[in-house]
Structure formats: structure tokens, C-alpha cells
């Protein structure tokens, strides 16, 4: 079965509850597929643990749910992945993240350093705390598609379709939520090769 590492910052003051909801949704999905991912929560989320966890893996899937910047992923206290720290730890990896802005520079840098494929966001993204379900669905949709056998280039298309479905369903009731979903959709980017789950089995 595909080696999978999922990291999340559940104690973050702004988005910790959202990240936790995403992981709970993924856990239900993984349980149905009998997949047991390596989970690194806030207490283990640092550059050293990332390196110790990923270095021994020949090929793996990596999912990240935390804050980000143009060249990094960060937790509540520090950077745990960046273009200058442990960016060589993702050889033969599919890297998937719901994090602000890291698709602007970090994604391409990871590809240059051996990552096979990257899906993330190149701008600041947001959620709506009082109506969170569409954001959880969209945040996890691409990773679920990958485990279902969909190629990464097609995943971007289907993720945008899912965003459009959620936007259409909420637009007339709450334009503000729909506009946030639209901005998230438009920030989606992909880098690297068109791959699928068969590479990791």
C-alpha cells in the first residue's frame, strides 16, 4: 500500500479546528481503504521530524494542512518546510497541501529537488468558520481523487469542478462564502509530472 504522511497543525489559533476537521474526514476515508498513514500533529510538526519521517521513504504521498507562505509551510511557532530547509526530503513524492501561498515558490522548488508532483495554492486562501463543510470537502477532494486512481493533471480539473459545485450551491444564499470559495479555486496550481497512485504501490 502507498506510504502516506499527513501533517496538520490542529492547535493553530485561527485554523486549528478546521485542520482537525480535515484530518477527521481523511481518517474516515483512509479507514474505508484500510490505509494507515503516518500522522504528524502539531506536537511533532517541525523540520527535524519531517526529515526523520520522510528520508527513509523511497516513494510516498505527503499531505499538509497548516499555514504557509510563498516559500514555506509553517506551524504555530516555526517553519517546518521551506526552500532552504529540508526541501530535498521529498524525492519521488506526490505533495498535496491546503496552505496559503506555498504554490508560489515552494511548489516549484520541491519539484526542482526531486518531488514528482505538487498540488497547492499560490495565493492566500481562506475558510468560513460558520459554514465550514464546503471548505473541508474542497480541501480534501484532490487527495481523495489521487487515492482513487485519478492522475494529478486531471485532479486539478476535478478539484475546480468541485469548487464550482460548492460555489453554485451556496451562491444565492451567501455571496460572501461563494466568493471565498471562488478565490480558493482560482489559487489552485500544479507542478511536476502527471502521475497517479500506481507509482506508489
Amino acid at each position: 500500500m502507498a506510504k502516506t504522511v499527513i501533517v496538520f497543525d490542529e492547535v493553530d489559533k485561527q485554523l486549528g479546528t478546521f485542520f482537525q476537521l480535515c484530518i477527521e474526514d481523511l481518517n474516515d476515508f483512509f479507514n474505508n481503504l484500510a490505509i494507515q498513514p503516518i500522522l504528524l500533529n502539531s506536537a511533532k510538526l517541525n523540520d527535524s521530524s519531517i526529515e526523520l519521517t520522510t528520508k527513509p521513504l523511497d516513494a510516498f504521498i505527503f499531505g499538509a494542512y497548516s499555514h504557509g507562505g510563498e516559500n514555506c509551510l509553517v506551524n504555530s511557532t516555526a517553519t517546518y518546510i521551506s526552500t532552504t530547509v529540508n526541501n530535498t526530503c521529498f524525492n519521488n513524492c506526490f505533495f498535496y497541501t491546503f496552505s496559503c501561498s506555498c504554490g508560489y515558490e515552494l511548489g516549484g522548488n520541491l519539484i526542482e529537488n526531486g518531488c514528482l508532483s505538487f498540488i497547492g495554492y499560490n495565493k492566500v486562501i481562506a475558510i468560513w468558520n460558520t459554514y465550514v463543510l464546503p471548505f473541508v470537502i474542497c480541501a480534501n477532494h484532490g487527495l481523495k481523487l489521487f487515492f482513487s486512481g485519478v492522475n494529478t493533471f486531471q485532479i486539478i480539473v476535478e478539484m475546480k469542478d468541485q469548487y464550482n459545485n460548492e460555489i453554485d450551491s451556496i451562491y444565492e444564499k451567501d455571496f460572501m462564502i461563494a466568493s471565498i470559495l471562488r478565490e480558493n479555486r482560482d489559487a489552485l496550481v500544479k507542478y511536476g509530472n502527471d502521475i497517479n497512485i500506481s507509482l506508489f504501490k
Side-chain angles (χ1 to χ4, degrees):
M1 185 53 67
K3 296 174 183 175
T4 305
V5 180
I6 306 291
V7 305
F8 58 105
D9 190 12
E10 84 283 2
V11 302
D12 178 78
K13 291 181 180 179
Q14 293 178 310
L15 293 178
T17 300
F18 172 74
F19 296 143
Q20 181 65 43
L21 288 171
C22 288
I23 299 309
E24 290 173 3
D25 177 61
L26 284 178
N27 276 335
D28 290 340
F29 176 78
F30 287 142
N31 284 339
N32 288 334
L33 296 179
I35 295 171
Q36 295 183 325
I38 299 168
L39 298 177
L40 300 180
N41 64 8
S42 299
K44 301 174 183 176
L45 199 50
N46 57 67
D47 58 336
S48 296
S49 66
I50 293 293
E51 185 164 358
L52 287 171
T53 301
T54 60
K55 276 290 188 182
L57 303 178
D58 294 327
F60 62 100
I61 298 150
F62 187 89
Y65 295 78
S66 73
H67 285 294
E70 292 183 355
N71 66 351
C72 62
L73 293 178
V74 299
N75 63 17
S76 304
T77 58
T79 297
Y80 66 91
I81 298 171
S82 80
T83 55
T84 58
V85 177
N86 62 26
N87 61 337
T88 60
C89 294
F90 300 94
N91 288 325
N92 299 319
C93 170
F94 170 51
F95 195 108
Y96 178 94
T97 182
F98 186 87
S99 304
C100 288
S101 304
C102 60
Y104 184 83
E105 183 179 352
L106 178 64
N109 179 266
L110 294 177
I111 298 300
E112 291 171 1
N113 284 279
C115 181
L116 294 174
S117 189
F118 173 97
I119 291 178
Y121 298 79
N122 64 2
K123 297 178 183 176
V124 173
I125 52 178
I127 68 161
W128 192 271
N129 281 321
T130 57
Y131 194 68
V132 73
L133 182 58
F135 295 90
V136 172
I137 291 170
C138 290
N140 285 344
H141 189 59
L143 193 57
K144 291 179 178 180
L145 288 172
F146 188 76
F147 279 95
S148 300
V150 180
N151 285 25
T152 50
F153 286 10
Q154 183 61 28
I155 283 172
I156 284 286
V157 174
E158 296 193 27
M159 286 182 73
K160 290 183 178 182
D161 286 344
Q162 184 64 48
Y163 269 109
N164 290 337
N165 290 339
E166 300 299 335
I167 291 165
D168 290 345
S169 69
I170 195 65
Y171 182 84
E172 292 186 0
K173 293 181 283 187
D174 197 313
F175 172 77
M176 183 61 70
I177 296 174
S179 67
I180 295 171
L181 286 164
R182 185 177 64 243
E183 289 175 3
N184 290 358
R185 178 202 65 196
D186 292 345
L188 269 170
V189 292
K190 68 179 185 303
Y191 297 107
N193 300 323
D194 188 18
I195 62 172
N196 61 48
I197 191 71
S198 65
L199 287 178
F200 300 93
K201 292 183 177 179

